Amino acid sequence: GGDGLIVTGHGTDIYNPQTVRASMGSLLALPTVRLGSAREVRTWARDVAAPVSRTGRVQIVGATADAASSVDAFDLTQPTVLVFGNEADGLNTTELRVCQSWIHLETFGANSSYNLANAIAITTYVIATTGVPPRRNEVVESGAPREAVDALYDYWLGTLDRIRYFR
């Protein structure tokens, strides 16, 4: 999971009862920031997130199908703001310019991209299984047991296969 959520522009109303219900309540446990535009993300990352990060810096990384670096080959162990575009069009020009680096997700078969929810789930899974170090002054026990992570991954892949996502 992440440490917070940033919503920009005229995105989904994160406090709409249907949105809260779909998040299974996790939205209420996650610090959330609404910014007016993608340009404000850079300022927020520099002025708010970086000073409290364990390194004093935050990288801004955009997810786009055109990126040269694969998510699993990119160093996401540093404090990172991940930027995802909207479901239909991905990142727009302004959002791409806000980012310092870009990553893409490997796709299989005839799929050229994932829907937004799956793209975020895959990316956060990669981060969670990479061994991201704890935040400054935080004592953290090791993550979920490997068997639990593998079981979740197998369930997720099985579900995608049952709905014929890869065909």
Side-chain angles (χ1 to χ4, degrees):
D3 291 324
L5 173 68
I6 300 171
V7 178
T8 63
H10 60 279
T12 300
D13 176 6
I14 56 175
Y15 298 112
N16 179 297
Q18 291 177 328
T19 304
V20 174
R21 188 175 333 122
S23 78
M24 301 295 292
S26 62
L27 181 62
L28 301 175
L30 193 65
T32 305
V33 175
R34 178 172 286 284
L35 300 174
S37 70
R39 286 187 194 101
E40 293 178 40
V41 171
R42 183 179 294 146
T43 303
W44 181 89
R46 182 190 66 225
D47 297 345
V48 178
V52 297
S53 77
R54 63 183 157 71
T55 63
R57 298 178 329 142
V58 173
Q59 62 182 349
I60 302 174
V61 179
T64 176
D66 300 325
S69 296
S70 174
V71 64
D72 56 351
F74 194 83
D75 181 10
L76 292 169
T77 61
Q78 301 304 310
T80 303
V81 171
L82 292 170
V83 180
F84 292 88
N86 71 36
E87 185 98 27
D89 302 315
L91 296 173
N92 64 37
T93 303
T94 302
E95 293 161 341
L96 287 167
R97 288 182 180 152
V98 165
C99 301
Q100 299 156 326
S101 303
W102 304 269
I103 55 173
H104 74 270
L105 298 172
E106 298 294 335
T107 56
F108 303 94
N111 296 329
S112 62
S113 66
Y114 296 97
N115 73 26
L116 185 59
N118 285 333
I120 294 170
I122 292 167
T123 304
T124 55
Y125 174 83
V126 169
I127 293 169
T129 58
T130 304
V132 175
R135 291 182 293 265
R136 181 176 30 188
N137 301 324
E138 179 182 26
V139 177
V140 177
E141 295 181 21
S142 61
R146 185 71 210 181
E147 301 80 30
V149 172
D150 289 341
L152 177 62
Y153 182 73
D154 290 341
Y155 172 79
W156 179 55
L157 280 179
T159 300
L160 292 174
D161 188 50
R162 278 191 300 283
I163 63 170
R164 304 172 71 84
Y165 187 81
F166 297 115
R167 295 181 203 150

